Amino acid sequence: MKLSESTTGPLPGSAKIHRSAPGRPDIKVPFRRIELGGGEKPILLYDSSGPFTGQEPIDLAQGLPPARSWLEGRGLEARQALAPQGLEHPAPRTIRRRPEGDEAPFTQLECARAGIVTDEMVYAAAREEVSPTWLRDEIAAGRAVLPANVNHPELEPMVIGRKFRTKINANFGNSALSGAGPASMADEVEKMAWAIRWGSDTVMDLSTGQHISPLRSWIMRNAPVPVGTVPLYEALERADGDPLKLNWEDFRDVLIEQAEQGVDYFTIHAGLRLAHVPLTASRVCGIVSRGGAIMARWCLAGHRESFLYEHFRDICALCRRYDITLSLGDGLRPGAIADANDAAQFAELETLGELTKIAHEMGCQVMIEGPGHVPMDKIADNVSKKDAFCGDVPFYTLGPLTTDVAPGYDHITSAIGAAMIAWHGTAMLCYVTPKEHLGLPDRDDVKEGVIAYRIAAHAADLAKGLPGVQAHDDAMSRARFAFRWHDQFNLALDPERARAFHDGTLPKEAQKSAHFCSMCGPRFCSMKISQDVRDEAARQQGMEAKSAEFAAQGGKLYVAA
Amino acid sequence: MKLSESTTGPLPGSAKIHRSAPGRPDIKVPFRRIELGGGEKPILLYDSSGPFTGQEPIDLAQGLPPARSWLEGRGLEARQALAPQGLEHPAPRTIRRRPEGDEAPFTQLECARAGIVTDEMVYAAAREEVSPTWLRDEIAAGRAVLPANVNHPELEPMVIGRKFRTKINANFGNSALSGAGPASMADEVEKMAWAIRWGSDTVMDLSTGQHISPLRSWIMRNAPVPVGTVPLYEALERADGDPLKLNWEDFRDVLIEQAEQGVDYFTIHAGLRLAHVPLTASRVCGIVSRGGAIMARWCLAGHRESFLYEHFRDICALCRRYDITLSLGDGLRPGAIADANDAAQFAELETLGELTKIAHEMGCQVMIEGPGHVPMDKIADNVSKKDAFCGDVPFYTLGPLTTDVAPGYDHITSAIGAAMIAWHGTAMLCYVTPKEHLGLPDRDDVKEGVIAYRIAAHAADLAKGLPGVQAHDDAMSRARFAFRWHDQFNLALDPERARAFHDGTLPKEAQKSAHFCSMCGPRFCSMKISQDVRDEAARQQGMEAKSAEFAAQGGKLYVAA
């Protein structure tokens, strides 16, 4: 059972290379290398796409080779997994966890606090081109997380935090309408691989259909990026879809099973409390988070406190044994412009701050989820409030969508908000596809959503002035000025579309080195005239000298005629 | 020669209606009216689409009926236009201008300063749902422009200014490769009509091919929105494409011809001066504005001052006779992230401030063009510098693109920047299509660009808190919460796509009133659960009371377990 050819192989003009982490020849991290013309050095880009842009074919039933080979030697409690019944499945493997009662540093947070630089940190630091000790200190302070369940050896470790490249997440998963055989499992993995190929840094499996558990085995064994879930969905499925039948014991069983499968982060809506529910009464769109709505229903029906809130320490204790990162869900995120930044949203956020302290105290990594639907003028306040209530733990937001009037284009309404909130400090952006609010995203929608979010993340990183980020833009700009069309295609986030669009007007190979483009033609080309200007100026007396002269005059213009 | 059916007729679920301006039964202005279910009142939206969403078929050879019937009675100098030779063409008409030497208030700016509320102001104010005298005062102060050449009777008057709805512009025009017969003329008009149908508030005809002048007649006679041009392009075409053959006399002839055709605003790159050219020497992308590059070449070749700068008062005098608005071009706008906010850009902007004063002094309306390629952190400064140098005249920006790495998606890279800069004060946004940098936009690209910019403009208006804007979002949000799917489609900026996306998963009519959607299915629907929550709470004791109680307790949560 092979991954389809269109979902594997290097991007056009790019090669996947591996470089050893500094001082660690045994740890090799991936980069996307683009060879350039015009005498320019190749450019290396951060590469989250894993084997899905590699040369090797991928056998889904086999799963990916382990990137974290070092897990073997950590001396963890281990047992052999049972092969699931009735469905073709990647090979059984070892299930690991922290030994019972062992208090040696184990989670990335505990290790970082103890001054230990883990192999995962070395790997992630090499990808970001930063020092591993600096990265460790960011984790120790809670400002960054490194989601890496010990049961996910296929993971290529990465870090999420406001001082690192902004990350993006894509959601996928089956629904009640999906099939249950190996073919439909392969379809889901294919969707995931497609999102990762185009640049998704993490994925969330939001399956709510049949056979959630075996599907997740397929996903985990083929995921080179951190995988997140909302365990409440599986719990609800087990409770026959009735929120009132949910209880802590069944929920815990779901957590354990998913932990053993290797899920790297759990979205837990533990901050939504009974007292918050009345605050949503006057909202235009009520509660739009599924997890939030389920918990609100549960709390209200029995007029009782959320079992997630009451058992939060138990949840932390469990996550700590596998090093699962907690992503504290915003069950009361606004689902409409009218509901943005309201009392319900911020009351829950305040509770998330309380839970953050508990999780940190227990050695668990934490990030905070955020909205949603927010007009531009209220975006910055979401970050400030998160900082005020929860400190500078990583913020992980969905968009936000900056208007409600454009269904069919919500990748754009939300890319605007996503770019802005990431600039203000969000560490990871959950994507939105064009189908949001309307239907199930297909392969094209997934790609549109991922690229829109790669744009938002990159625009934010540029605005934040992260080192090295602008080199990519500058390489593109130089290629543009020099009419190196192939370089422009290859440097693009989507080389295939860039080339196809150029081919649409000027398909011939000779036109790929033409010193003009189809928009203006040779006569009107500003770039060409601009080059003429430069040549002319050089001939006359040297523009640089002229420029210096101008500056020396205090920047005064010639006297007006 | 009819406009194609797909480019006319009301948008799905919408009707074009006309309402009399308050106190002026003779002036009827258009709105898009959407009937809603669930007992809601119909919603009225600003409607810039003219006859292209009306019921009547449109005969291109005939042109549109005049919206400004009052022009007849203004006592202007008039003569009959000659029918052009050799090409089928809309009927000849009267050419008007201000009588020679007449110093009575004539331009919208002069009238506004004299306290006169023109019919155009009445019309534009009724569309914006503001008072005509307030609008007049904005024009008098130079903070708004109302581009309306007296030779453009087909125009439905509108206003551009930071206190009004943010406007968007779409570019089109033929190139050297286009044909010359009536069919290819009709193609160009069709492109323009398509952009206007989807929400472009103004259009710019950037033709550089053959038969520029007769094509423009076709365009003007069929344009219900202000039309802008860059007269330098036609001048260059007449100069055989050689910038060095340009001169003031020939340029003036182009201005007069276009003025008589009815062009409403001219982009004039008069702020690019000889002294600025050396400032571009160290740029990554040189000069990317075509007008800027042409003028730089002209200045540098003879080491002489720009004839546009030197003849700026002559240009103003000419524009004043037809009431053509000056759009002062940014010939040195940055064409790369690396070049944003540099000395060249701001030196030219400072000169534009100087020219603004001259134009205002001569009674001409003025707006200022802006970039271009700008990272998010440098966007606000573009508005501040414009304000500092040029005062609060309307700013008219191209995007800006917030990164260079995503050719093929520059409608998105730039919608991010456009939304932000409009929030900061840009009055009109020039759109960018997905084909930017790569090829000629087709019909689909034009629509993608227009919708992306409608989103950016609306998001900005929301963030600015303009009265009435959020009513559209709220109507959508209520329709969402109540599962009124038809209302959601009809309220969308693109009702066709919204419906098509929903049909993709749930095509049946019965599913258009289903209380769930395909993303989550009935069991997981948060909106449905949220409604259950609301019902349950009402049953228990009234959530509003609960909410008040919570507030009375100072918003304190229950004591933690």
Side-chain angles (χ1 to χ4, degrees), chain A residues 538-561:
Chain A
R539 213 166 26 245
Q540 283 189 16
Q541 54 193 306
M543 280 176 87
E544 297 289 358
K546 204 70 193 157
S547 184
E549 185 186 321
F550 181 80
Q553 290 165 0
K556 284 272 192 294
L557 300 183
Y558 292 1
V559 178

Side-chain angles (χ1 to χ4, degrees), chain A residues 237 277 283 287-288 300 403-405 409 439 473 476-477 493-494 497 518 523 526 530 534 540 543, chain B residues 237 277 283 287-288 300 403-405 409 439 473 476-477 493-494 497 518 523 526 530 534 540 543:
Chain A
E237 198 60 29
V277 181
R283 276 185 162 185
I287 301 173
V288 297
L300 205 61
T403 167
D404 293 336
V405 300
Y409 298 83
D473 296 77
M476 178 70 81
S477 303
L493 292 184
D494 181 356
R497 177 169 297 181
S518 56
R523 187 177 272 189
S526 63
S530 193
R534 204 168 275 192
Q540 283 189 16
M543 280 176 87
Chain B
E237 199 60 29
V277 180
R283 277 186 162 184
I287 301 173
V288 297
L300 205 63
T403 167
D404 293 336
V405 300
Y409 298 83
D473 296 76
M476 178 70 81
S477 302
L493 292 184
D494 180 356
R497 178 169 298 180
S518 57
R523 186 176 273 188
S526 62
S530 191
R534 205 168 277 192
Q540 282 190 16
M543 279 176 87

Side-chain angles (χ1 to χ4, degrees), chain A residues 169 171 204 206 229-230 232-233 267-273 276-277 279-281 283-296 327-350 352 368-375 382 395-401 404 414 421 429-432 436-437 453, chain B residues 477 480-481 517 519-520 524-527 530 534:
Chain A
N169 172 73
N171 297 329
M204 288 193 79
L206 303 183
T229 62
V230 184
L232 197 63
Y233 295 174
T267 291
I268 306 280
H269 297 92
L272 189 160
R273 301 188 57 190
H276 302 151
V277 181
L279 298 175
T280 66
R283 276 185 162 185
V284 172
C285 265
I287 301 173
V288 297
S289 150
R290 279 188 275 177
I294 293 164
M295 289 311 300
S327 186
L328 300 179
D330 54 338
L332 297 179
R333 69 166 180 267
I337 290 295
D339 299 337
N341 295 22
D342 72 354
Q345 181 191 338
F346 289 144
E348 182 188 31
L349 187 58
E350 192 167 358
L352 297 186
I368 303 290
E369 297 187 8
H373 293 238
V374 185
N382 273 274
F395 203 23
Y396 169 27
T397 60
L398 173 65
L401 286 73
D404 293 336
S414 68
I421 206 163
L429 302 166
C430 182
Y431 89 161
V432 172
E436 184 76 14
H437 298 114
Y453 274 70
Chain B
S477 302
R480 222 163 243 167
F481 192 70
C517 71
M519 285 76 80
C520 312
F524 274 94
C525 180
S526 62
M527 294 269 190
S530 191
R534 205 168 277 192

Side-chain angles (χ1 to χ4, degrees), chain B residues 32-79:
Chain B
R32 172 180 167 196
R33 184 172 69 192
I34 305 168
E35 302 289 336
L36 299 173
E40 296 218 6
K41 282 190 198 151
I43 190 165
L44 288 192
L45 301 181
Y46 185 100
D47 182 2
S48 57
S49 59
F52 305 129
T53 56
Q55 295 283 4
E56 302 297 317
I58 293 165
D59 181 348
L60 300 179
Q62 200 61 39
L64 304 178
R68 297 163 74 194
S69 49
W70 54 79
L71 279 173
E72 297 282 343
R74 280 194 65 182
L76 302 175
E77 189 182 301
R79 64 181 166 81

